[in-house]
Amino acid sequence: MSQMYTTADLPKVLLFYAEPMADLAEKIQKHAANVQLGIITWQRQADDLCSHQGFARITIEESWKVRGSIVFFLCCLDDSDRIYDNLAVMTKITRFGPSTFKIMIPFFPSLTLQAEGGDRGLGVLGEIPISRTMTRLLSLTPRGKSGPTEVVIFDIHHLQERFYFEDDVAPRLESAMTLVTERLDKAIEIAMLNPPPPPA
């Protein structure tokens, strides 16, 4: 006889998120009963020296909750002005002792050719591939208790980018295209069942 499980039996998940990802994080919490949103304050004040230089004063509230928890960080790398904020949080969370730490990247920037330029490369000599640089920065994320930090990337532009990461992180490629096609199929079905009235 199979055992019945309730939401109380599910492991608690602590979800932190970058500032631009607040709406998405709240939607995730609504659809997952075992997800609790972590609180990060990002203080930017005109009279503050750090803010004046482009840096926010970042505080992970109730950081004691991280210890022993399954922790996710919903990252935002599509704004170059916020990349430092994201990296600062990612490298700090592991210091609080989560049992598992995973970084979720809904959009991974690939703004230049992935190959270095030169005789054997496809790019322009001297051009810096952004995705390669980004993977180097993400690879600096410290390991968690259970091993390398997992970096979950959705719909990556080039599959070979997973080989750019160092051994301290474990890249995992996912796709949301199945959800998109399901929504399209439903929209088409509704349109076929409810055709617009013929023009008068």
Side-chain angles (χ1 to χ4, degrees):
M1 182 176 180
S2 61
Q3 185 176 359
M4 298 296 293
Y5 292 92
T6 65
T7 55
D9 300 315
L10 297 174
K12 296 299 181 183
V13 175
L14 195 58
L15 175 62
F16 291 97
Y17 52 91
E19 278 185 290
M21 294 294 179
D23 291 341
L24 179 57
E26 291 175 359
K27 290 179 181 178
I28 292 174
Q29 185 193 33
K30 288 180 181 179
H31 288 83
N34 62 322
V35 172
Q36 178 183 355
L37 295 184
I39 301 174
I40 301 177
T41 56
W42 319 75
Q43 295 181 352
R44 289 182 172 85
Q45 300 176 356
D47 58 347
D48 184 76
L49 179 60
C50 289
S51 300
H52 180 69
Q53 294 175 345
F55 297 95
R57 289 188 179 272
I58 306 170
T59 304
I60 300 175
E61 305 292 346
E62 298 181 333
S63 57
W64 54 270
K65 290 184 178 180
V66 173
R67 180 169 298 279
S69 299
I70 299 173
V71 179
F72 283 79
F73 178 63
L74 189 56
C75 190
C76 179
L77 299 178
D78 54 329
D79 185 353
S80 59
D81 293 336
R82 301 294 180 92
I83 289 178
Y84 169 81
D85 297 350
N86 284 259
L87 293 173
V89 171
M90 288 186 286
T91 56
K92 186 63 176 179
I93 284 180
T94 54
R95 301 292 297 271
F96 296 127
S99 62
T100 303
F101 181 46
K102 299 184 181 186
I103 300 169
M104 298 174 63
I105 306 177
F107 173 75
F108 188 82
S110 302
L111 304 181
T112 64
L113 293 174
Q114 309 310 308
E116 297 280 359
D119 295 336
R120 303 179 66 181
L122 300 177
V124 178
L125 184 63
E127 185 179 24
I128 301 174
I130 292 178
S131 60
R132 181 69 180 94
T133 305
M134 194 69 66
T135 56
R136 286 174 175 167
L137 293 173
L138 291 171
S139 296
L140 297 175
T141 305
R143 289 169 171 256
K145 283 184 176 181
S146 59
T149 295
E150 191 172 48
V151 180
V152 184
I153 305 174
F154 288 87
D155 296 303
I156 198 167
H157 188 59
H158 292 285
L159 293 177
Q160 66 266 28
E161 291 175 3
R162 67 185 183 274
F163 300 115
Y164 295 168
F165 289 90
E166 304 295 337
D167 293 338
D168 284 337
V169 296
R172 179 177 133 201
L173 306 185
E174 296 289 348
S175 177
M177 290 307 298
T178 54
L179 299 176
V180 174
T181 55
E182 286 177 5
R183 290 291 183 92
L184 288 175
D185 290 341
K186 288 182 180 179
I188 293 172
E189 183 180 355
I190 292 174
M192 293 179 64
L193 294 175
N194 301 280

